[in-house]
Amino acid sequence: MQQIINFLFRNKNGITFLLLFLLSIFLIINAHTYQKSKVINFANALTGSVFSVKTSIQDYFQLKKENEILWDENKRIRNRLMSIKPCDSLTETPTFSSDIKSFAVSKSIIISNNFRKNFNYLLINKGRNDSIKEDMSVISSKGIVGIVEGTSNNFARVISVLNKDLSINAVIKNTNHFGSLKWNGKSPYYINLLDIPRSASPQVGDTIITGGNSLIFPKGILIGQIKSFELNSNTGYYNIKVALANDFTALSKVYVLDNTHLKEAKNLLEENAND
């Protein structure tokens, strides 16, 4: 307390000047409308800036929560889309049907992702305890990712599209010509579409989607766009280079699709094979 008193006594002249200066400013502002409005505008601008920074900081720390909300919403939308019967024409209205092939959607996070090897795999944080099984398809918000190959209680191993052992049925959207999607072990940004006949007449920029013939991927999931193509004159088939819609070097969140009619379809195919 004595130190405070000593400080005030030593600086009494400066403190007195400061108090009188502030008092004079206060009187001037109150006595003149123009100066008063300027001060109020400055105070409002300063306050607005402070609250703007505060809001930006709060929004930043809430991004994770907002992303989770959007992710859940995307899951619900995808579940609904999977139950829509495809249209045969642009004028036909989509209908909901319980007897068509349907896919249930689960969300998951990639915890390990390889894309530099010839035979690449991913590990996701859902397994048998979450009803994840082998032969379920895995996609992201941008397109196909791979197929579940094995599971443990809490994790699942996914064979990536960037795996030379994996072959996926694909179709050129504009022409409906089917082919096989195979990776050549080179760039993680491109994949090859093989066995497309000469009659397909592909064009650069054509969209490639899943064909839906494998019972694993539903028809119409985006794969990418044609980057270039070359016709093999000996076989009469194209070798098409496709730019993948997914950036496999930056994957994070995915959806696992369960064909709820897969077992029934497989049993029927096995019965037909035995006849």
Side-chain angles (χ1 to χ4, degrees):
M1 185 65 181
Q2 185 63 39
Q3 291 181 349
I4 296 175
I5 296 174
N6 292 337
F7 172 80
L8 294 175
F9 184 78
R10 287 197 305 270
N11 299 279
K12 60 180 184 298
N13 293 332
I15 294 173
T16 302
F17 170 78
L18 181 61
L19 291 174
L20 292 174
F21 178 73
L22 293 176
L23 178 63
S24 62
I25 291 178
F26 175 77
L27 293 174
I28 291 173
I29 292 173
N30 278 323
H32 298 83
T33 304
Y34 177 77
Q35 285 83 353
K36 186 175 182 179
S37 65
K38 285 293 184 180
V39 171
I40 292 174
N41 290 339
F42 174 77
N44 288 337
L46 181 61
T47 304
S49 298
V50 171
F51 278 107
S52 178
V53 172
K54 178 183 177 182
T55 302
S56 297
I57 294 173
Q58 289 177 335
D59 289 343
Y60 176 79
F61 285 104
Q62 290 177 353
L63 281 177
K64 183 177 181 180
K65 181 179 179 181
E66 293 296 326
N67 284 337
E68 288 292 332
I69 294 173
L70 290 174
W71 197 17
D72 284 331
E73 181 66 20
N74 284 338
K75 175 188 170 183
R76 289 192 292 270
I77 292 172
R78 286 192 175 276
N79 267 315
R80 187 170 177 82
L81 288 174
M82 292 302 172
S83 65
I84 298 178
K85 187 176 180 180
C87 297
D88 293 328
S89 67
L90 293 176
T91 57
E92 184 181 348
T93 303
T95 58
F96 292 90
S97 174
S98 59
D99 59 352
I100 64 171
K101 184 173 64 177
S102 60
F103 288 78
V105 182
S106 301
K107 62 180 186 177
S108 184
I109 294 177
I110 295 174
I111 58 178
S112 176
N113 176 22
N114 295 323
F115 51 85
R116 294 187 178 91
K117 303 176 182 178
N118 287 327
F119 306 95
N120 294 297
Y121 294 87
L122 306 97
L123 191 68
I124 60 176
N125 70 338
K126 295 290 179 66
R128 286 192 295 266
N129 291 343
D130 307 288
S131 300
I132 304 300
K133 303 184 292 289
E134 294 181 5
D135 292 332
M136 287 186 176
S137 54
V138 181
I139 66 173
S140 75
S141 59
K142 293 185 178 180
I144 63 170
V145 174
I147 299 173
V148 175
E149 186 189 59
T151 60
S152 64
N153 287 337
N154 300 300
F155 303 98
R157 189 184 191 211
V158 178
I159 181 169
S160 172
V161 169
L162 304 180
N163 189 306
K164 294 175 71 174
D165 280 345
L166 187 63
S167 179
I168 297 174
N169 174 258
V171 62
I172 301 176
K173 186 177 181 181
N174 293 341
T175 67
N176 288 325
H177 283 86
F178 288 88
S180 298
L181 205 67
K182 293 280 290 185
W183 190 53
N184 61 11
K186 295 180 181 179
S187 171
Y189 303 104
Y190 300 98
I191 198 166
N192 292 332
L193 180 59
L194 309 175
D195 303 325
I196 297 294
R198 185 194 302 266
S199 58
S201 300
Q203 301 294 323
V204 173
D206 280 352
T207 300
I208 307 300
I209 58 176
T210 53
N213 290 345
S214 67
L215 299 177
I216 296 178
F217 284 99
K219 183 177 180 180
I221 300 297
L222 181 62
I223 296 172
Q225 291 185 321
I226 294 179
K227 177 71 173 179
S228 63
F229 53 88
E230 182 180 358
L231 179 66
N232 187 324
S233 57
N234 294 326
T235 64
Y237 289 93
Y238 285 100
N239 184 354
I240 299 176
K241 184 177 182 180
V242 179
L244 288 165
N246 260 325
D247 182 357
F248 278 79
T249 67
L251 286 177
S252 175
K253 298 177 180 179
V254 293
Y255 301 98
V256 184
L257 309 184
D258 178 17
N259 182 354
T260 55
H261 296 166
L262 179 61
K263 185 176 180 180
E264 178 185 350
K266 282 187 173 181
N267 290 338
L268 184 60
L269 289 174
E270 291 174 0
E271 290 177 5
N272 291 338
N274 294 330
D275 291 341

